[in-house]
Structure formats: C-alpha cells, structure tokens
Amino acid sequence: MQAQSNGELPTRNDIPKELTWNVEDIYKTLKLWENDFKWVEDAEKKYAEFKGKLSVLPDNLYSCLKFDEEVGIKLSQLYLYASLSRDLDLNNAENQGRYDRVSNLGSKIGAASSFIIPELLTIPEEKLWDFVDKKVELKIYKHQLEDILRTKAHTLTPKEEELMALAGPVRGVPSNVFGMFNNADIQFPTVKDEKGNEIKISHGRYGAAMFSTDRDYRKRVYKGMYKPFMEYKNTLVAMFNGNIKSYIFNAKARDYKSTRTASLDANNIPLEVYDNLVNTVNENFAPLHRWAKLKKKILKLKELHPYDTYVTLFPAVKKEYDYEVSKEILLKALKPLGEDYLNSLQLAFNNRWIDVHETKGKRSGAYSSGVSYGVHPYVLLNWTDQLNDVFTFAHEMGHNMHSYYTEKNQPYPYANYSIFVAEVASTANEALLLDYLIANAKTKEEKLALIEKQLTGITTTFYRQTRFAEYEQLVHEKTENGEALTPEVLCDLYGKMYGKYWGPEMIVDEEETYTWTRVPHFYYNFYVYQYATSYAASQELVVQIKKEGQPAIDRFLNFLKAGSSQYPIDVLKTAGVDMTSPKPILAVVNKMNELLDQLEELLAE
C-alpha cells in the first residue's frame, strides 16, 4: 500500500475508503463550514456588547461566558475540519487557504474576548461567588473561576498586561533565533556512510546513525553533528542565556519567586512534584548504570561512549506488521483496560477516525487531533508495516481515547486536559503493548529485541528527560543568583551531570558536554520534566490495573473522563497516582530492573 508499481506514492483515490478519514462527521458540506465561519466572523463584533457589564448582574456574566462557549465550539470545529483537510494534501491551495482563514479568525476572536478575564478579576470575590449562588447556571464554571482567581496575584493592571503582551515577541527572539539556526542556517559537514559514500549530516540522519551497528560510522556522524554547535558556541550561549533572562523578566514582573515557580504555576503543579522526580531519580541511577555495563559487555567494547548508547544490540530481528493484524494486536494487548475501552477502540476502528496510509502530499508523522467539542477525535498515521508503526498506533490511540472520553463526559469548559497528563494514556498503551508482545514473542531473538526497545524507551523518555530537567533547573537558578554562564561553565555542568547519570562505564566525550547548545526543549521553559512524570504515572497505573483489575480500570477510565474538571495533579491522585510521592518514579526503576533481569536470563540460556 505504500507505493504504486511505478514507485510513486498512492493518491487519495488509491486508498480504500475505510482506511481514510471521514471529515464529513464534522461538516457534511463546505457550505455548512462557510455558514459557521460567517457566524463566528459576525460574533467577533458581539463581544463588545458584554464589555464593562460583567460585574453588573449575574445574568450578564453567564450570558458572556455562554456566548464565548458557543463561539469556542464552532471555532474548534472550523479549525479541526480545515486542519485535517490541509494535512491530507499539503499541496492543495484551497485547503491551505481555509486553514489560514480560520487561524486568522481565531486570532481576531482571541483579541475580541481578551477583556473577559481581566474584567472578571475586577469583580470582588464575595460578589462573584454571590453571583454563582444566585445564578444556578454559573455553578458549572466554579472550578474555572477558582483557577482564574488563583492567578490574580500574578495578573497585572490592564496597562501593564498590555506592555507584557507587547514585550512577548521580543522575549521570544532567543527561541526564534535558535529555531532558525537549528533548522535552517546550520551547516553540517559531510562524512562517509556505512558503504563509503559521502553524505551530508542532518538531524534525521544523526538519529538514524545512532542505531547503526557500524561503530566507526556512528562515531563519524556523532562528532560531525556537534562540530557546528561547538564552532558557534559563543552565539549559542547568547541565545541560551537570553532565553533564560526572558523568563526571569516574566517571573519578576509577575511577582513569582523563580522561573520554575512561574512555569509550574500555570497548571497549579507543586514544586515538590519536580523535586520528587529529580531527587528520586538521583537516588536510583543503578538500573541505568547496570544497562551501561551490560551494553558494553554485549557490544564487546573496551570503552563505552555516548555514540554507543542507542545502537541496536539485536539487529537480526526483522518482522512486518500489517495494519489489520495490528488492530487485532492492540485489542488483545489493551484487554486489561476492560470492555468499555475496547468497545471505544472498535468505534474508532470501524468509523473512519483513522487515516492510515501515506499518500501524495499527506503530512508526515502521526498525531491525534485532540478534543474538539461535539466531534470525535481523529488519528493520522503513515503506515510502513514496521514495529514502530504498531507502537505509534498504540500511542496515538491512547491520546485519541483520552480525548474521546473527555469530550463525551465533560461540559465545554473542562473538555480539555493539561500537558502534565497528556502523555499518560498514550504511554500506558505502549507499556501494555510491549508487555503483550514480549509475553507472546515466538523466538528468543524477538523477545530480546522487544526488551531492548523498552529499555531504550526508559533511557530516553525517563532518565534523559529527567537529566534535562535537572540541568534546566540548575542553569536557571545559577542565572537567577547572578552567576555568569559561559560556554565553559555550561559544558562543565552538563558533562558532570551526563557522567553522573550514566555512571562509571561511560566515557563522556567533549562533544557530549555541548548538548546544551542543541536541545530545543531548553527553550520551552520547564517543559521536559513532564515527559518523565507522565511516563512514571503511566507505569504506576499499568501496575495497578494488572494487580487490582476492575477497581483500577474504573479509576483509569475516570482519569480519561476527567478532562480539566480538577487540577491535573488531583486528576492523577484520583486515578491512584500521587506524583509528589516517590512511588510512581520507583515503578519505572523497578520495571527497568525487571527487564534487565529478563535480558540477562535470556542471554545466559
């Protein structure tokens, strides 16, 4: 299905209808889309009717919030239809035009409705809650209003907020410049590939090369990859420091104690969650050190270097996975989640929620479209019959089911979920899939390859992201304390931290100490820790589901249904996971030790 007989990618017409999206679930015709577009366009002017009146009567407040909801629902459906249509054929100018139109309309609506929160905050709290008591329809907004009031101390005057908004593009310059340098301007050297051909290094080729069994090739690409970053270290340190200082400006302007406090407060995440992750991982490096030692032994190396960390240990295992067969695998692997979950999966499988195959002009990669109120979520795939496709499928269906259950069970104000919990359902699905595949592997070699895959996943998603989080905290704190971060200081800090995580078997090459120059996530302001916490939460949930059965399944489904009706930390607690506790972090540590035990036992046979 990937290509026609002439080697060309298939067109949309070449793909069976049942393996494509049915965007008519959103709008039956383009005329209906245009009708809603016109309605939202007209709604922009109507926001002015509510301005300055929210504090007068409870009816005024309710009418405004309800109107904003109606606009939001239609706008999200307009956007969903336009974005899905665009992604099916990026060469279609008409689809791109619709996407641009709705994006511009969204900006206008954002500007027109921007008065709502500042005006809400001018209402005395006692009066606001009196409104809620008198107008029963306002009770649904209670948690939303509490969250708005929670940030009142860090909300500035209208004039100051206007200045902060004007400063936004300026504050974004370091990140934007880094993005342009990293994705467009950077020039990588050429090296010889495994067959002796000259190739120019790229981000994609670097990633693939690190899994190559040709060690000299890995080393050439590794050293070549870092060369331009090392050459431009002074430019990159200016971007790096400028980015940190922009977040310090924001934190100080809004009266936060630190950049980390300001970032985590957006989702009301206690600092102890971050500290618990970093501290517990620091107490449990043993499995990663053990993995490094085992890798070195299997690869028969005198020295283990960073370019040896991802190499495939069991390359002989090759197996193709058909999409239809993979659906059956998923239904079996996710059986522990119960009948209700499996029925919901079947609903997605049987009703064209998934666009499966690569076609001319289709967007690359994979995603789930998220919550769009009143419409089911969609999944984009680009199937190539590889094992990674099966895991991507499981991952995206985790997102899809999370969005589906949330939209089905929450009113519009809470029909979304925080990034803090966004990766939990997806990684739980991956964990269950891997356990199923390992348990049902036909050969020793297949089982070894699957165990290695999960060990690599823990290394990259859990330990590496925690290392990034610890480093990010360290460099922000040093800057806030007035310490100068030169390239030499940043390299020294990163090199020591890398060595601490990987342990005594690892030789830390000079190139590795420059990792701070090339990680885009360091520009995202305390974002990376959430990869590790989500991974840990999912592992703990899977342990509970397998141990307890239905009670844990019910908690998991309630987690999927909760949306943002509670703060994300509380949604997880209700599901049975306390991210302020070491327990979920230790669940990953224990899982890695179990996998290493299995690997060593198989190798000893």
Side-chain angles (χ1 to χ4, degrees), residues 151-223:
T151 61
K152 188 173 184 177
H154 306 290
T155 303
L156 308 177
T157 66
K159 187 64 180 174
E160 288 169 337
E161 286 292 350
E162 187 180 340
L163 287 171
M164 290 294 286
L166 289 171
V170 180
R171 289 179 50 234
V173 167
S175 177
N176 292 335
V177 173
F178 173 78
M180 291 301 294
F181 175 81
N182 192 42
N183 296 310
D185 293 342
I186 193 167
Q187 292 297 313
F188 293 109
T190 57
V191 296
K192 289 188 184 297
D193 68 9
E194 295 143 307
K195 296 178 181 178
N197 301 314
E198 290 284 337
I199 62 160
K200 191 176 181 67
I201 296 170
S202 67
H203 291 293
R205 284 174 173 169
Y206 170 79
M210 290 305 100
F211 287 88
S212 171
T213 55
D214 185 330
R215 193 176 192 229
D216 288 336
Y217 172 56
R218 292 200 308 272
K219 184 177 179 180
R220 288 194 297 272
V221 174
Y222 175 80
K223 290 190 173 292

Side-chain angles (χ1 to χ4, degrees), residues 475-576:
V475 295
H476 274 249
E477 287 177 351
K478 284 185 175 294
T479 306
E480 286 168 327
N481 291 332
E483 296 182 42
L485 296 182
T486 63
E488 292 72 24
V489 169
L490 289 167
C491 286
D492 181 63
L493 292 172
Y494 191 84
K496 286 176 179 173
M497 197 170 289
Y498 187 86
K500 177 179 73 170
Y501 271 70
W502 274 102
E505 299 293 343
M506 180 63 70
I507 303 297
V508 184
D509 293 303
E510 182 188 6
E511 286 83 0
E512 193 63 37
T513 69
Y514 280 85
T515 295
W516 61 269
T517 63
R518 70 177 195 88
V519 176
H521 290 82
F522 287 148
Y523 290 81
Y524 296 176
N525 195 30
F526 296 101
Y527 183 93
V528 290
Y529 83 98
Q530 296 169 118
Y531 288 119
T533 52
S534 284
Y535 192 89
S538 69
Q539 297 305 306
E540 174 63 15
L541 286 170
V542 167
V543 168
Q544 292 177 14
I545 287 165
K546 289 191 168 185
K547 185 178 179 181
E548 299 176 33
Q550 197 58 49
I553 292 169
D554 291 341
R555 291 198 303 271
F556 181 73
L557 291 178
N558 287 335
F559 161 75
L560 298 182
K561 295 172 183 177
S564 57
S565 60
Q566 297 174 277
Y567 291 118
I569 192 75
D570 297 323
V571 170
L572 276 176
K573 278 183 181 176
T574 304

Side-chain angles (χ1 to χ4, degrees), residues 93 126 166 250 315 352 360 527 535 540 550 576 578 581:
E126 188 177 341
L166 289 171
N250 178 69
R352 298 176 60 199
K360 281 183 181 178
Y527 183 93
Y535 192 89
E540 174 63 15
Q550 197 58 49
D578 181 1
S581 157

Side-chain angles (χ1 to χ4, degrees), residues 177-382:
V177 173
F178 173 78
M180 291 301 294
F181 175 81
N182 192 42
N183 296 310
D185 293 342
I186 193 167
Q187 292 297 313
F188 293 109
T190 57
V191 296
K192 289 188 184 297
D193 68 9
E194 295 143 307
K195 296 178 181 178
N197 301 314
E198 290 284 337
I199 62 160
K200 191 176 181 67
I201 296 170
S202 67
H203 291 293
R205 284 174 173 169
Y206 170 79
M210 290 305 100
F211 287 88
S212 171
T213 55
D214 185 330
R215 193 176 192 229
D216 288 336
Y217 172 56
R218 292 200 308 272
K219 184 177 179 180
R220 288 194 297 272
V221 174
Y222 175 80
K223 290 190 173 292
M225 177 72 177
Y226 276 94
K227 189 177 180 184
F229 290 104
M230 294 168 77
E231 287 175 352
Y232 287 95
K233 64 182 180 181
N234 294 316
T235 300
L236 287 159
V237 80
M239 296 181 212
F240 190 89
N241 286 330
N243 181 66
I244 294 174
K245 287 170 183 174
S246 78
Y247 286 114
I248 291 174
F249 165 77
N250 178 69
K252 285 186 174 179
R254 296 194 177 280
D255 199 26
Y256 283 104
K257 290 181 180 178
S258 68
T259 53
R260 192 165 65 113
T261 306
S263 176
L264 270 64
D265 189 55
N267 289 313
N268 201 26
I269 306 297
L271 285 181
E272 62 183 309
V273 170
Y274 201 110
D275 295 336
N276 173 59
L277 170 69
V278 172
N279 293 339
T280 307
V281 167
N282 268 263
E283 292 166 4
N284 289 278
F285 290 139
L288 187 57
H289 294 180
R290 184 181 168 194
W291 180 221
K293 189 174 183 179
L294 190 57
K295 264 185 172 286
K296 183 180 175 183
K297 180 182 176 183
I298 295 170
L299 292 168
K300 298 176 181 176
L301 299 175
K302 289 183 179 179
E303 291 182 345
L304 186 71
H305 288 260
Y307 48 82
D308 299 317
T309 53
Y310 303 122
V311 57
T312 305
L313 300 180
F314 310 105
V317 179
K318 290 190 184 292
K319 187 174 178 180
E320 291 194 345
Y321 292 84
D322 174 78
Y323 173 69
E324 293 299 328
V325 171
S326 297
K327 285 197 296 186
E328 295 305 314
I329 290 173
L330 246 61
L331 290 169
K332 291 173 183 175
L334 302 180
K335 194 174 180 181
L337 297 180
E339 284 301 313
D340 191 87
Y341 191 91
L342 295 182
N343 290 338
S344 299
L345 271 181
Q346 289 278 26
L347 189 68
F349 292 168
N350 298 335
N351 288 279
R352 298 176 60 199
W353 295 13
I354 306 161
D355 201 272
V356 181
H357 292 290
E358 186 178 12
T359 54
K360 281 183 181 178
K362 182 179 171 181
R363 175 175 165 166
S364 62
Y367 66 74
S368 178
S369 62
V371 178
S372 184
Y373 202 73
V375 186
H376 65 78
Y378 290 77
V379 165
L380 179 137
L381 300 173
N382 279 281

